[in-house]
Amino acid sequence: MGFARTCSVALVGVEGVLVEVQAGLEPGVAAFTLVGLPDKSLSESRDRVRAAVVNSGGEWPQKKLTVGLSPASVPKAGSGFDLAVASAVLGAAERIDPRVLADIVMIGELGLDGRVRPVRGILPAVLAAADAGYTQVVVPECAAAEAALVPGVSVLGVRSLRQLIAVLADEPVPEEEPDAPGRPDLLAGLRMPGTGSATGMHGAGAAQHDQGHDLADVVGQTSARTAVEVAAAGGHHLFLEGPPGAGKTMLAERLPAVLPRLTRQDSLEVTAVHSVAGLLPPGKPLIDVAPYCAPHHSATMQSLVGGGPGVARPGAVSLAHRGVLFLDEAPEFHSQTLDALRQPLESGHVVIARSAGVVRFPARFLMVLAANPCPCGRFSQRDSLCDCPPSAIRRYQSRLSGPLLDRVDLRVEVDPVTRAQLTDPGARGESTATVADRVREARQRAAARLAGTPWVTNSEVPGRELRSRFHAVAGAMDEAERNLERGVLTARGIDRVLRVAWTVADLLGRDRPDAGDVALALQLRTGVPRGVPMAIGALA
């Protein structure tokens, strides 16, 4: 009886599970049996592998063939096991030395002509192989750059099964012609429908590379610009409310460019999520800028938090991990969809429970909500242009639940732009580069203070730690505590005010927040004027 084994990886969310692919040949009627809890696409690999082996010049064994995927209790999905199954079968048929296959992890789909096609989730799969102690990985050639991001792993990229057989059998490697121009993109089939750059769910951080998006283009809006800067410096969630055309979307689109570039660890986390979703841009295997995700208000709960039929897919909250999730026209979202954000806003991850198992996706994002004050958008305390009845205004504003808004640190009213502001050449504010430099320095101060802790930004620090380890100037929190007694702030709200005050102090280069910093934090959260300048530059 011929026997051979090699390894592949099954993805559960963005985490990989090593799977041993075993092939056994025994006398009997020629048959091909695949066991080990495969899904439909994996069961179809029997026909793909047989055709690929024959078309690659190999001889298919005319015996009873059994291929087992171990551990059998883990569900396996997708076509990424094709390369491992073909290699194990050829090893059992002694076309390849079985001893060579035992310590190699293989990931890739096979075409009927033997070409090796890419699959989703190459990066998390190779990370799982490295964590398990494997040092040799075989992947499709077009995904080799993505796999090479994992240190300590030797990556072999192959175009076809013929090339792999030649390498493993120590034979001359045949040349394979590259795909001719005009052929369909191999990576295009990996992308989920409706997740291209035109939908606002592209993960390449396009806003950072668009030189047309600059904060200097935003006229006026001193309070909103300050809120954007504070949100970027501390990772605080932001709510912008104002009439149509005031600049809410402009501010949100310019926020990703203010955020610092991702660290190496954050880049790997973001790239892993986008790899599983099939959203990695061509020619850019590593995402090193903050992603920007702006789903339409008709998005379902599954598209926002993740899930869907079959294998759970990451949603918008995970695609915005370490970046910005912009929900324009927030009251138009379904109330249950918005309330589903409450758990990931607190924990930084989302857990999706299905009958097939539980999947955990990272979801630590900066949320920006934008809303009109009423259905017609013209309601204001300063004038009476609104025609909406009070009941309609209350009903519209109540679509955003109190528990959700309590998790938003910064709430700013965006005023309409006046004619004088639009025509004044000196009304342009600071550029994105200037604000980004200040944000980067503030994050460095926060990181130095939080060194040795599991937190990086002020928004992540728990309230108990803020009260016990990181103290403000004596008496600085008196006004905030009075707001707590009057019911203006909740216990969670006063912790969030203190977090924002620390961010303001970091932006101003102070060691600890004082009463002025807390007053600005209160003004940004409640909207009630506290007699402090709203521009960070005016406070310095």
Side-chain angles (χ1 to χ4, degrees):
M1 174 178 176
F3 177 82
R5 62 185 178 88
T6 188
C7 289
S8 191
V9 181
L11 290 177
V12 181
V14 291
E15 300 176 356
V17 178
L18 264 292
V19 173
E20 187 176 77
V21 180
Q22 306 167 347
L25 288 173
E26 54 185 314
V29 178
F32 188 172
T33 304
L34 183 64
V35 298
L37 213 59
D39 73 338
K40 179 66 174 176
S41 61
L42 182 52
S43 297
E44 293 173 350
S45 68
R46 294 176 296 184
D47 300 319
R48 288 195 302 270
V49 168
R50 182 187 293 110
V53 169
V54 173
N55 291 328
S56 298
E59 183 178 349
W60 187 258
Q62 298 301 315
K63 295 182 180 180
K64 183 179 180 181
L65 170 63
T66 304
V67 174
L69 308 175
S70 178
S73 59
V74 176
K76 290 89 177 175
S79 56
F81 295 88
D82 288 2
L83 203 57
V85 170
S87 299
V89 171
L90 292 172
E94 298 183 352
R95 175 64 178 86
I96 303 173
D97 188 350
R99 294 171 297 180
V100 176
L101 300 173
D103 297 326
I104 301 178
V105 175
M106 301 187 181
I107 307 161
E109 176 187 330
L110 285 175
L112 298 184
D113 58 353
R115 285 190 306 163
V116 181
R117 298 175 57 90
V119 294
R120 294 190 186 112
I122 290 290
L123 178 59
V126 178
L127 284 170
D131 291 341
Y134 287 85
T135 59
Q136 293 179 301
V137 176
V138 178
V139 298
E141 185 182 54
C142 56
E146 180 184 347
L149 295 173
V150 182
V153 176
S154 175
V155 178
L156 172 63
V158 293
R159 290 185 184 175
S160 67
L161 181 60
R162 287 198 308 154
Q163 287 187 338
L164 179 60
I165 295 173
V167 171
L168 297 179
D170 198 16
E171 299 171 355
V173 180
E175 288 292 334
E176 294 287 351
E177 292 293 330
D179 291 329
R183 286 188 180 180
D185 181 12
L186 288 179
L187 296 172
L190 304 182
R191 303 185 184 114
M192 292 183 293
T195 53
S197 58
T199 63
M201 297 182 67
H202 195 264
Q208 284 83 346
H209 303 293
D210 187 355
Q211 300 301 321
H213 287 76
D214 196 301
L215 270 175
D217 299 333
V218 181
V219 177
Q221 309 300 359
T222 303
S223 300
R225 288 173 58 95
T226 299
V228 166
E229 182 174 348
V230 173
H236 305 286
H237 306 302
L238 174 62
F239 177 39
L240 300 172
E241 185 180 32
K248 302 186 295 294
T249 303
M250 286 182 66
L251 288 164
E253 289 176 344
R254 283 149 180 80
L255 178 55
V258 180
L259 294 173
R261 298 187 79 87
L262 300 179
T263 64
R264 177 72 177 184
Q265 180 60 36
D266 291 345
S267 295
L268 290 176
E269 291 179 4
V270 173
T271 303
V273 174
H274 287 255
S275 177
V276 170
L279 287 176
L280 283 182
K284 188 175 176 62
L286 181 67
I287 298 176
D288 58 356
V289 291
Y292 175 79
C293 188
H296 191 259
H297 60 257
S298 61
T300 62
M301 186 182 299
Q302 288 78 14
S303 67
L304 198 61
V305 301
V311 180
R313 297 291 185 190
V317 296
S318 298
L319 296 176
H321 180 59
R322 302 295 180 185
V324 177
L325 176 67
F326 177 46
L327 302 181
D328 199 6
E329 306 294 345
E332 301 296 338
F333 281 81
H334 195 280
S335 59
Q336 292 182 347
T337 301
L338 287 177
D339 286 338
L341 298 175
R342 286 150 58 177
Q343 184 259 339
L345 284 174
E346 286 289 329
S347 62
H349 62 266
V350 59
V351 178
I352 302 171
R354 296 290 185 268
S355 59
V358 178
V359 176
R360 183 180 185 272
F361 291 114
R364 187 168 296 282
F365 54 89
L366 196 163
M367 181 180 69
V368 180
L369 300 174
N372 295 325
C374 66
C376 76
R378 295 180 294 177
F379 174 74
S380 174
Q381 302 291 342
R382 301 179 180 86
D383 50 50
S384 57
L385 297 176
C386 177
D387 297 327
C388 302
S391 59
I393 297 175
R394 287 195 302 269
R395 187 163 54 250
Y396 186 81
Q397 294 179 348
S398 65
R399 293 180 182 178
L400 299 178
S401 66
L404 176 65
L405 290 179
D406 197 38
R407 290 167 167 81
V408 179
D409 301 345
L410 312 171
R411 308 174 193 174
V412 180
E413 184 174 346
V414 183
D415 297 323
V417 180
T418 64
R419 176 183 177 183
Q421 290 174 326
L422 278 176
T423 57
D424 183 8
R428 289 170 59 92
E430 294 176 313
S431 66
T432 294
T434 302
V435 177
D437 289 341
R438 222 164 31 225
V439 168
R440 184 177 62 254
E441 293 174 0
R443 289 233 178 177
Q444 290 172 352
R445 294 188 186 98
R449 182 175 63 253
L450 299 174
T453 69
W455 315 297
V456 178
T457 60
N458 293 321
S459 63
E460 301 173 9
V461 183
R464 64 179 184 278
E465 298 292 336
L466 285 171
R467 293 187 293 271
S468 61
R469 293 177 57 181
F470 306 104
H471 301 284
V473 174
M477 293 295 293
D478 290 348
E479 181 63 24
E481 292 168 358
R482 285 193 288 270
N483 278 265
L484 176 64
E485 293 176 351
R486 291 196 295 265
V488 177
L489 293 176
T490 63
R492 179 193 286 121
I494 198 169
D495 287 342
R496 292 184 176 274
V497 167
L498 185 53
R499 292 189 186 109
V500 175
W502 271 106
T503 301
V504 174
D506 288 334
L507 285 168
L508 297 174
R510 295 172 181 162
D511 295 333
R512 292 193 296 169
D514 58 16
D517 301 331
V518 176
L520 179 56
L522 281 169
Q523 185 167 331
L524 288 172
R525 180 169 180 85
T526 63
V528 179
R530 306 283 172 170
V532 294
M534 286 300 294
I536 295 294
L539 292 169

